[in-house]
Amino acid sequence: MTPPLGVILAGGLATRMGGGDKGLLLAGDKRLIDHVIDRLSPQVADLALNANGDPARFADLNLPVIPDSIEGFAGPLAGVLAGLDWAAEQGADAIVTAAADTPFFPCDLVPRLQLATEGMQHPLALAATPDPKRGQARHPTFGLWPVALRDDLRAALQDGLRKVVLWTDKHDGRTALFPDEAAFFNVNTPEDLARAKDMA
C-alpha cells in the first residue's frame, strides 16, 4: 500500500490549558508535538502541520503549516479539509491525521487504518479503542481520509456540520480497533500534562 501523507492537527483552542499551543508543551525532554512527529513521520510519505495564526511559532519544525480554510473555529474537520486540500496539491490520494496533543499513539497507526479500509472505493476510517460501555470509542482526530471526498467535506462544513462521526458515518467510514484503551491518551489539562511527563 502506498503510504499516505500525514497531517498533524494543532488547530485547537486549548481552553482547558489556558489557551496557546498544547503541542509546544514539554513532556519529558521533548515537546508533545515532537513526540507526535517522531511517531507519525516514519509511517507517512510526507508531513504537514494544520495550525491557525502565525506560522512562525512552528518554524523550527521545518514542516509546511496549513491553516483552516473555513472561517471561524470549525473543529477538527476543518483541519482535515485543509490537509486534504494540501494533499491534492501534492497529487496524493489520502492523508492520515494525528492530534498534536496525543503523544503516545500507536506506531502502527497507518498500516492498521489502511488494513481496515481494504476494498473501499474511498478509504475512510477512524481509530478506535475498546470501551466498556459502548463497545468501542472512536478517536476522530486519528483517521485515514480520502482526497476524493474533500469537496463533499467542504460542502458539509459550509452547511454547519462539525461532528466528525456524522460525516464519516454518512460515507460508511470504518474503524481500526487498537486493543490498548490508553493508546490515544491526550493532554487536555495540567494534570494530563503531568501524566504525559511521567509516561515519557
Side-chain angles (χ1 to χ4, degrees):
M1 286 185 177
T2 310
L5 299 182
V7 177
I8 298 170
L9 301 176
L13 298 175
T15 49
R16 283 180 282 181
M17 292 292 286
D21 295 296
K22 282 193 286 183
L24 300 181
L25 298 171
L26 277 174
D29 59 351
K30 293 192 291 192
R31 298 168 299 182
L32 293 174
I33 200 163
D34 297 320
H35 287 285
V36 173
I37 290 169
D38 288 350
R39 285 184 178 245
L40 190 57
S41 57
Q43 303 185 55
V44 295
D46 203 358
L47 198 56
L49 179 67
N50 161 243
N52 299 303
D54 184 1
R57 66 195 193 276
F58 299 110
D60 67 303
L61 298 175
N62 295 312
L63 294 177
V65 179
I66 46 178
D68 293 348
S69 58
I70 301 290
E71 290 297 312
F73 179 67
L77 279 175
V80 171
L81 176 61
L84 291 172
D85 285 341
W86 168 73
E89 290 168 8
Q90 316 298 311
D93 295 327
I95 63 169
V96 165
T97 54
D101 63 357
T102 307
F104 309 118
F105 64 88
C107 292
D108 60 350
L109 173 72
V110 172
R112 296 276 287 273
L113 286 167
Q114 288 182 312
L115 200 59
T117 60
E118 277 193 333
M120 293 182 78
Q121 182 185 0
H122 301 307
L124 177 64
L126 298 178
T129 49
D131 183 294
K133 294 176 184 169
R134 294 174 289 172
Q136 57 179 239
R138 290 180 284 187
H139 300 280
T141 51
F142 286 85
L144 173 65
W145 313 86
V147 169
L149 292 180
R150 69 191 176 110
D151 289 330
D152 183 284
L153 177 57
R154 192 184 331 275
L157 281 163
Q158 287 168 344
D159 283 345
L161 181 80
R162 297 295 179 262
K163 198 164 175 60
V164 173
V165 297
L166 290 180
W167 188 77
T168 58
D169 285 350
K170 176 188 163 191
H171 294 284
D172 299 320
R174 298 178 184 173
T175 56
L177 189 63
F178 293 82
D180 179 8
E181 288 179 44
F184 297 94
F185 161 72
N186 66 315
V187 175
N188 283 318
T189 65
E191 292 75 22
D192 291 339
L193 184 61
R195 184 180 162 202
K197 288 176 180 174
D198 290 340
M199 290 169 74

